[in-house]
Amino acid sequence: MNFDAKMREYIELVNSKLSVYVPQKENLQKSIYEAMRYSLMAGGKRIRPVLAMSVCEMLGGNVEKALPYACALECIHTYSLIHDDLPCMDNDDMRRGKPTCHKAFDEATALLAGDALLNRAFEIMSTYGTDNDCTVEVIKYVSNNSGTEGMIGGQVVDLMCEGDGNVSEETLRYIHRNKTGALISAAAMIGAICGNATDEEKVKILEFSDNLGLAFQIKDDILDFVGDDELLGKPTGSDEENDKTTFVTLMGIEKAEEELQRTTKAAKAALEVFGAENEFLCSLADFLLKRNF
Amino acid sequence: MNFDAKMREYIELVNSKLSVYVPQKENLQKSIYEAMRYSLMAGGKRIRPVLAMSVCEMLGGNVEKALPYACALECIHTYSLIHDDLPCMDNDDMRRGKPTCHKAFDEATALLAGDALLNRAFEIMSTYGTDNDCTVEVIKYVSNNSGTEGMIGGQVVDLMCEGDGNVSEETLRYIHRNKTGALISAAAMIGAICGNATDEEKVKILEFSDNLGLAFQIKDDILDFVGDDELLGKPTGSDEENDKTTFVTLMGIEKAEEELQRTTKAAKAALEVFGAENEFLCSLADFLLKRNF
């Protein structure tokens, strides 16, 4: 298997579908489509849709079945970034090397573009999902993980801890498990549902995605500490500047690196039951470990 | 039929279910539940859920089937009000006689509470909907009407026209049909889907809801012009102050009153095919015509 080629193939599939699901329009409200596409097509890593599709394929499922749900999840991820960047939240000016949505447009448009992407995610799933039982199961899982007991819950606690450099490791893990981890688990579960995973397989897939989500966030913290502004497309060192508790401030860079290695290894170990079919996902875990952006 | 008693019965059903669907919580992120409930339980008129349930009952359907979708729609309506009131949008301080969500909490919490209510709407429908085919059909219809080709589309064009006292009647009708009308149509369609309406019946129900939605907005414009601040729970005269085009500024108060009568009559006429079963909905149309809040 050529990991890079397969990765590119998945990403192209997602990008071309997203462009269909969130098209340019020439109507009165065309500015909202522009703002949605500005952030959605800004060259994100597409980790979540790739995860959904590759878990589905690992289980012998058809990637086309997972595709609409995978794209919907990317819409949810993008809406959360747009709203997170707003002045009343993190007040960030740059994202992926470009001005954030409210800088490129205005606050009202960015607010509505985020709302519209969240809304559109559910419209995509209900309109393009292949069978209704699968669609309802996916919407239930995704909306739970993106809501107040998932991603939004993590954002709320993150906001409460703002400027508090002394957040406990327990709270930090709570924030990360929800703010970042919940959508990563949702991605893996979309693949599991579309690939008709057994209950035992779902347990393993969630063990994988829990560890992967944690590894992903630890890597983000490390990159903010040691990373390259240009490669990341945003200023680094902002965590330290904002007196933000991260895995690096909490345990030091060396221990954080160790924890990154440990969680990546645990993620891959959870996939052993799937035999050789796990190859792409294990490579994806290594790819995320080594990334510098 | 005792209209007031029936109306009260519907509203109590909605309020008690909403309180179950969006509960108080005692977890780390409990502030978000407080903010969601603050706006959701602030004594809205519950027109949309009442419409959904009563259309379902007019068709001989079971009101319990429509109830989760009806409550979800009220969550969507409430999220749109919270986001509409934010400083970057209408910047309103009062709503339903109480400080708006961002005034009672803060902007970040209000932003997330709105997001959470939109998200929760889809979680409610997918979790509590009775059968999957019905749930997917409803989610598809609702998400379309609350998105960029519905409510959000109306908000975008409304924002574009801000401070423009010379908006054409065509644009004004576009804004109202989408910003207010789309969710009212979605409500009626929830009832139609849950009541197993035929295609011909759906056409009549949409004719009813289109006219009712228009009447509803004209009445809002009239109330902003002549209404009582205390009864409305918000300052009146704001449209004129903001140089906002409304049905009243466009056609004068007398013509607006005539148009209100005409659209209410047209709404009721569309229900004639349903015979005596239409009684509650016709009374509802009259109730909305006569309201002073």
Side-chain angles (χ1 to χ4, degrees):
Chain A
M1 188 205 59
N2 182 329
F3 173 78
D4 290 343
K6 185 75 189 161
M7 189 76 183
R8 221 163 23 239
E9 193 186 300
Y10 279 136
I11 290 173
E12 275 165 23
L13 204 53
V14 171
N15 287 344
S16 70
K17 270 292 174 193
L18 280 175
S19 198
V20 172
Y21 291 151
V22 184
Q24 285 181 298
K25 287 260 187 179
E26 284 306 325
N27 52 19
L28 270 177
Q29 68 272 36
K30 65 179 176 182
S31 62
I32 191 79
Y33 290 95
E34 277 168 31
M36 291 162 84
R37 287 174 62 91
Y38 175 83
S39 293
L40 190 61
M41 308 311 275
K45 296 185 279 293
R46 311 301 193 207
I47 299 306
R48 292 155 195 80
V50 168
L51 252 178
M53 290 185 290
S54 56
V55 168
C56 179
E57 284 206 309
M58 176 181 75
L59 295 163
N62 185 342
V63 70
E64 293 289 333
K65 188 173 180 184
L67 189 54
Y69 311 121
C71 289
L73 199 65
E74 189 70 7
C75 291
I76 294 178
H77 172 56
T78 305
Y79 115 79
S80 77
L81 300 180
I82 296 174
H83 281 187
D84 246 357
D85 288 337
L86 283 170
C88 70
M89 300 280 288
D90 290 351
N91 195 18
D92 281 319
D93 293 349
M94 295 294 284
R95 161 85 61 187
R96 294 170 180 164
K98 291 165 59 176
T100 47
C101 193
H102 65 277
K103 283 285 165 187
F105 297 83
D106 55 51
E107 272 184 62
T109 304
L111 172 71
L112 290 176
D115 291 347
L117 281 166
L118 174 58
N119 191 89
R120 185 74 184 138
F122 295 101
E123 193 178 1
I124 291 168
M125 292 191 274
S126 58
T127 306
Y128 302 102
T130 38
D131 85 81
N132 288 349
D133 291 340
C134 177
T135 295
V136 172
E137 195 181 347
V138 168
I139 291 180
K140 195 170 153 180
Y141 198 88
V142 167
S143 59
N144 185 266
N145 278 37
S146 56
T148 47
E149 296 296 310
M151 184 180 71
I152 294 176
Q155 289 174 301
V156 171
V157 179
D158 192 28
L159 273 174
M160 283 164 46
C161 296
E162 214 176 29
D164 177 359
N166 291 310
V167 172
S168 70
E169 183 171 336
E170 192 194 342
T171 304
L172 184 67
R173 282 183 191 271
Y174 173 89
I175 293 170
H176 288 336
R177 194 166 55 243
N178 286 283
K179 194 175 169 177
T180 318
L183 281 204
I184 288 179
S185 288
M189 197 50 106
I190 286 171
I193 293 166
C194 294
N196 294 313
T198 63
D199 287 346
E200 291 77 16
E201 287 172 332
K202 282 183 183 167
V203 170
K204 285 294 170 189
I205 288 166
L206 282 177
E207 196 183 317
F208 161 74
S209 62
D210 278 355
N211 279 290
L212 191 78
L214 205 52
F216 190 80
Q217 187 58 52
I218 297 169
K219 183 74 188 190
D220 260 5
D221 289 353
I222 292 173
L223 285 172
D224 187 82
F225 187 73
V226 302
D228 182 322
D229 288 23
E230 202 138 318
L231 280 169
L232 286 167
K234 60 182 177 186
T236 57
S238 65
D239 292 343
E240 213 182 349
E241 216 169 277
N242 298 332
D243 201 13
K244 190 169 182 144
T245 302
T246 73
F247 280 103
V248 176
T249 66
L250 202 69
M251 51 179 74
I253 184 76
E254 268 176 50
K255 276 254 165 32
E257 288 276 8
E258 270 173 44
E259 184 70 1
L260 170 62
Q261 296 288 345
R262 191 190 67 73
T263 47
T264 301
K265 204 170 152 188
K268 293 196 287 183
L271 296 183
E272 273 169 19
V273 290
F274 299 101
E277 297 302 316
N278 72 14
E279 193 187 349
F280 177 84
L281 282 164
C282 288
S283 302
L284 182 66
D286 286 329
F287 168 79
L288 293 176
L289 173 101
K290 290 177 195 137
R291 72 193 160 100
N292 55 12
F293 63 96
Chain B
M1 187 205 61
N2 181 331
F3 174 77
D4 290 343
K6 186 73 189 163
M7 188 77 184
R8 221 164 23 240
E9 193 186 299
Y10 279 136
I11 290 173
E12 275 164 23
L13 205 52
V14 171
N15 287 344
S16 70
K17 270 292 174 191
L18 280 175
S19 197
V20 172
Y21 291 151
V22 183
Q24 285 182 299
K25 287 262 186 175
E26 282 307 324
N27 53 19
L28 270 176
Q29 68 272 36
K30 65 179 176 181
S31 61
I32 190 78
Y33 290 95
E34 277 167 33
M36 291 162 83
R37 287 174 61 91
Y38 175 83
S39 293
L40 190 61
M41 308 310 276
K45 295 185 281 291
R46 309 301 192 208
I47 298 306
R48 291 155 196 81
V50 167
L51 253 179
M53 291 185 291
S54 56
V55 168
C56 179
E57 284 206 307
M58 177 181 73
L59 294 162
N62 185 341
V63 71
E64 293 288 336
K65 189 173 179 183
L67 189 54
Y69 311 122
C71 289
L73 199 65
E74 189 69 8
C75 291
I76 294 178
H77 172 57
T78 304
Y79 116 78
S80 77
L81 300 180
I82 295 175
H83 281 188
D84 247 356
D85 287 338
L86 283 170
C88 70
M89 300 280 288
D90 290 351
N91 195 19
D92 281 320
D93 294 350
M94 295 295 284
R95 161 84 62 187
R96 292 168 180 167
K98 292 165 57 176
T100 46
C101 191
H102 67 275
K103 283 283 165 190
F105 297 83
D106 55 52
E107 272 185 62
T109 304
L111 172 72
L112 290 175
D115 291 346
L117 281 167
L118 175 58
N119 190 88
R120 185 76 182 137
F122 294 102
E123 193 178 0
I124 291 168
M125 291 191 273
S126 57
T127 306
Y128 302 102
T130 37
D131 86 79
N132 288 349
D133 291 340
C134 177
T135 295
V136 172
E137 195 181 347
V138 168
I139 291 180
K140 197 170 150 178
Y141 198 88
V142 167
S143 59
N144 185 266
N145 278 36
S146 57
T148 47
E149 295 296 311
M151 184 179 71
I152 294 176
Q155 289 174 301
V156 171
V157 179
D158 192 28
L159 273 174
M160 283 164 44
C161 296
E162 214 177 28
D164 177 358
N166 290 308
V167 172
S168 71
E169 183 172 336
E170 192 193 340
T171 304
L172 185 67
R173 282 184 190 270
Y174 173 89
I175 292 170
H176 288 336
R177 193 167 58 243
N178 287 282
K179 195 175 168 176
T180 318
L183 282 203
I184 288 179
S185 289
M189 197 48 105
I190 287 172
I193 293 167
C194 293
N196 294 313
T198 63
D199 287 346
E200 291 77 16
E201 287 172 331
K202 282 182 183 168
V203 170
K204 285 294 169 191
I205 288 166
L206 282 178
E207 196 183 318
F208 161 73
S209 61
D210 278 355
N211 279 289
L212 190 78
L214 205 50
F216 189 80
Q217 186 59 51
I218 298 168
K219 183 73 188 191
D220 260 6
D221 288 353
I222 292 174
L223 284 172
D224 187 81
F225 186 73
V226 301
D228 181 323
D229 287 23
E230 203 141 316
L231 279 169
L232 285 165
K234 60 183 176 187
T236 56
S238 65
D239 292 342
E240 212 181 351
E241 215 169 278
N242 299 332
D243 201 14
K244 192 170 180 143
T245 302
T246 72
F247 280 102
V248 177
T249 65
L250 202 68
M251 51 180 74
I253 184 75
E254 267 177 50
K255 275 255 164 36
E257 289 275 8
E258 270 173 45
E259 183 69 2
L260 171 62
Q261 297 287 346
R262 190 191 67 74
T263 48
T264 301
K265 205 171 152 189
K268 293 195 286 183
L271 296 183
E272 272 168 19
V273 290
F274 300 102
E277 297 302 317
N278 73 14
E279 192 186 348
F280 178 83
L281 282 163
C282 288
S283 302
L284 182 66
D286 286 329
F287 168 79
L288 293 176
L289 173 102
K290 290 177 197 137
R291 73 194 162 99
N292 54 11
F293 62 94

